[in-house]
Amino acid sequence: MIQVRNLDVRFGPNHAVRNVSLHVARGETFGLVGESGSGKSTVLRTIAGLIESWDGAMMVDNIPLGRRRDRAFFRTVQMVFQDPYGSLHPRQTVDRILSEPLAVHAIPDAERRIARALDEVALPRAARFRYPHQLSGGQRQRVAIARALVADPRVLLLDEPTSALDVSVQAEVLNLLSDLRAARGLTCILVSHNLAVVAHLCGRLAVMQGGQIVEELDEAALREGRAVHPHTQELIRLSRDLEEA
Ligand code: ADP
Ligand code: MG
């Protein structure tokens, strides 16, 4: 469903992503993990069409991607960002926020779709006419997920979707994402600096450092301690420390 080959991204002299290749099968959830500044968000944002200064080749659903994305692309691919507050318009109600993608894609039956989207992310019906500041952090992220899903995309790009949330609600939102991708057969890329988060949802993952993929692992290799790169081992130690804390 997603193919990235030899991706390079430069911000002026900063060579932020170097020769990154990855592929994600239909219905698979692929993880990108690594320390802050390693280039994870840049990879995701470049796939999403938010960054134009890249070289390499990318395909989604076997369609090669150019510099600009058309409307059909955003019907297929949606992104959820780390900070639900920053990504939701403060002066729009939840109803308005969820209406917008439907209007953009001229999708009928908004009433029913919005109600279904709210149900899917387990938000109460009463949340529909609230503003983002009237919701909790976890509820805001549920709105951002509902917005991403309301027009029925097939690919979901998740950039640290739980990092800005209280620890107590992180697991709830991760479990919600896990249920939704199974129910909808979504193809996902999940970015996190936290290996435990990625390992929880992803059958396969890549470890990034300094803009490069330094190791690719599947669930079994991770579980059986077959990670070889020192940065991967460092991330494993960090996530164990977090679990014990
Ligand atoms: P991560 O998500 O792994 O923390 P990022 O992809 O955000 O890392 O950043 C990778 C590198 O690219 C960093 O050096 C960062 O400063 C730089 N960078 C990211 N976005 C931009 C941008 N829009 N303009 C300039 N530099 C950027
Ligand atoms: Mg990031």
Side-chain angles (χ1 to χ4, degrees):
M1 190 68 186
I2 304 171
Q3 278 193 54
V4 172
R5 212 169 298 142
N6 307 120
L7 180 66
D8 274 278
V9 183
R10 288 183 175 81
F11 299 109
N14 182 356
H15 195 169
V17 170
R18 299 163 183 259
N19 201 32
V20 161
S21 297
L22 58 89
H23 62 96
V24 189
R26 229 171 278 276
E28 185 184 26
T29 300
F30 184 80
L32 266 184
V33 67
E35 63 196 350
S36 174
S38 57
K40 307 180 298 295
S41 295
T42 301
V43 170
L44 216 59
R45 295 169 67 87
T46 306
I47 297 171
L50 301 173
I51 292 169
E52 292 188 10
S53 55
W54 58 274
D55 291 297
M58 300 194 286
M59 293 206 288
V60 169
D61 200 18
N62 294 316
I63 299 170
L65 303 181
R67 297 272 165 255
R68 301 274 163 87
R69 303 289 183 273
D70 58 11
R71 199 180 299 168
F73 175 84
F74 293 106
R75 185 85 205 257
T76 307
V77 180
Q78 282 290 315
M79 187 156 168
V80 173
F81 298 90
Q82 171 172 357
D83 172 14
Y85 208 53
S87 73
L88 301 177
H89 196 295
R91 291 202 192 80
Q92 292 183 349
T93 61
V94 170
D95 181 71
R96 175 78 193 284
I97 289 166
L98 298 184
S99 302
E100 216 157 75
L102 298 174
V104 166
H105 298 292
I107 298 170
D109 217 1
E111 177 62 35
R112 192 185 53 81
R113 280 179 175 268
I114 291 170
R116 195 190 70 182
L118 290 174
D119 283 347
E120 251 189 317
V121 299
L123 276 170
R125 291 279 165 93
R128 182 161 175 178
F129 296 99
R130 302 242 166 91
Y131 291 91
H133 73 267
Q134 297 173 308
L135 304 173
S136 70
Q139 288 177 324
R140 285 197 287 264
Q141 195 59 303
R142 286 171 193 267
V143 172
I145 293 165
R147 175 181 57 185
L149 293 178
V150 74
D152 292 334
R154 293 154 65 206
V155 173
L156 204 52
L157 305 175
L158 303 158
D159 193 359
E160 309 260 11
T162 60
S163 301
L165 304 178
D166 287 346
V167 175
S168 59
V169 296
Q170 285 183 6
E172 273 175 34
V173 173
L174 284 178
N175 289 335
L176 171 70
L177 288 168
S178 177
D179 293 346
L180 285 171
R181 57 131 193 222
R184 285 172 163 260
L186 291 165
T187 304
C188 302
I189 300 180
L190 171 64
V191 159
S192 178
H193 65 281
N194 184 339
L195 181 64
V197 165
V198 164
H200 184 65
L201 256 76
C202 303
R204 232 154 37 82
L205 62 94
V207 180
M208 289 190 71
Q209 187 179 39
Q212 289 177 296
I213 290 181
V214 295
E215 184 158 20
E216 233 192 274
L217 287 159
D218 63 16
E219 231 170 347
L222 194 61
R223 200 173 45 238
E224 291 156 18
R226 280 190 268 123
V228 294
H229 195 276
H231 187 50
T232 312
Q233 284 162 355
E234 175 68 21
L235 292 169
I236 291 170
R237 264 196 306 278
L238 274 171
S239 70
R240 287 208 184 113
D241 290 351
L242 280 174
E243 269 173 22
E244 281 161 18

